[in-house]
């Protein structure tokens, strides 16, 4: 059975140990010439929204997106080793991704608020990039709102792999925004309480399948399989 699995990155696959907020601060500093007065607000939002919000809150004009994306990519690349030193892949992630990549008819990729360059940095830091088909992922440069990223990923899967437009899709993520993106696009969702949101909060957001983390590979695979053919 065909299945399109889209994994969030930060706090779902990896713990970035504060490096993400340092990337946003560095990009802001490079573009504005000054430090932000408060950290970036992330929580499952896209890089487009995160960076625009930073400039608006600081009372500054928002630079053109291509300048923001270049600044983010430069800041991310510069922090690869720092991320590798301080961060970690979360429990069970390597085994879960490996198991999903081995399933016949499945394509496993990412749906993330990060721009593509920084998504690759974060995954490569912990050897996860080779377990995902990043060509069909959806990234923070592709849309402002997370639910709109689902259509981007589906279109890429259809164009690059010949998948039907209505291929069963499941999102794996740690925030209510991941749950919302799934529910508003007719996708399945596996929520994991490995970020700041509790299992109760994720259930309240509408997730039926909620796990504390991805450490139980058999359970994770079973839940994902239940969405195949829906």
């Amino acid at each position: 059975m065909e299945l399109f699995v889209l994994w969030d990155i930060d706090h779902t696959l990896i713990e970035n140990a504060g490096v993400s907020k340092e990337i946003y601060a560095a990009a802001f500093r490079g573009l504005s010439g000054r430090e932000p007065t408060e950290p970036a607000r992330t929580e499952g939002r896209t890089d487009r929204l995160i960076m625009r919000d930073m400039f608006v809150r600081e009372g500054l004009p928002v630079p053109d997106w291509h300048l923001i994306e270049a600044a983010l990519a430069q800041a991310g690349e510069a922090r690869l080793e720092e991320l590798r030193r301080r961060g970690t892949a979360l429990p069970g992630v390597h085994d879960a991704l490996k198991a999903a990549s081995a399933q016949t008819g499945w394509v496993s990729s990412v749906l993330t608020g990060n721009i593509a360059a920084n998504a690759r940095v974060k995954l490569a830091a912990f050897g996860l990039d080779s377990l995902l088909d990043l060509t069909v992922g959806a990234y923070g440069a592709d849309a402002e709102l997370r639910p709109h990223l689902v259509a981007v990923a589906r279109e890429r899967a259809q164009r690059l792999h010949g998948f039907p437009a209505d291929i069963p899709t499941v999102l794996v993520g740690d925030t209510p925004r991941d749950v919302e993106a799934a529910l508003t696009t007719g996708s399945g969702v596996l929520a994991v309480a490995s970020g700041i949101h509790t299992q109760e909060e994720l259930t309240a957001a509408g997730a039926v399948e909620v796990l504390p983390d991805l450490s139980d590979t058999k359970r994770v695979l079973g839940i994902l399989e239940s969405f195949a053919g829906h």
Side-chain angles (χ1 to χ4, degrees), residues 18-43 45-63 65 68-69 71-72 75 79 118 144:
V19 173
S20 271
K21 298 222 171 151
E22 293 168 14
I23 289 171
Y24 295 121
F28 178 88
R29 184 170 59 250
L31 292 164
S32 70
R34 72 186 211 202
E35 295 288 340
T37 57
E38 58 182 286
R41 298 171 185 168
T42 53
E43 291 189 8
R45 298 191 304 160
T46 66
D47 279 0
R48 282 183 178 270
L49 286 181
I50 291 166
M51 291 299 294
R52 187 174 73 190
D53 181 56
M54 287 185 79
F55 280 92
V56 170
R57 281 189 288 120
E58 300 288 339
L60 297 174
V62 181
W65 169 249
I68 294 176
E69 185 172 18
L72 284 170
R79 283 161 181 78
N118 288 349
E144 285 197 348

Side-chain angles (χ1 to χ4, degrees), residues 8 19 48 53-54 66 72 116 151 158 171 175 177 210 215:
D8 174 51
V19 173
R48 282 183 178 270
D53 181 56
M54 287 185 79
H66 75 277
L72 284 170
Q158 184 179 13
L171 276 56
T175 74
R177 281 191 172 88
V210 184
S215 58

Side-chain angles (χ1 to χ4, degrees), residues 107-118:
V107 170
S108 194
S109 191
V110 295
L111 189 142
T112 175
N114 291 282
I115 61 168
N118 288 349

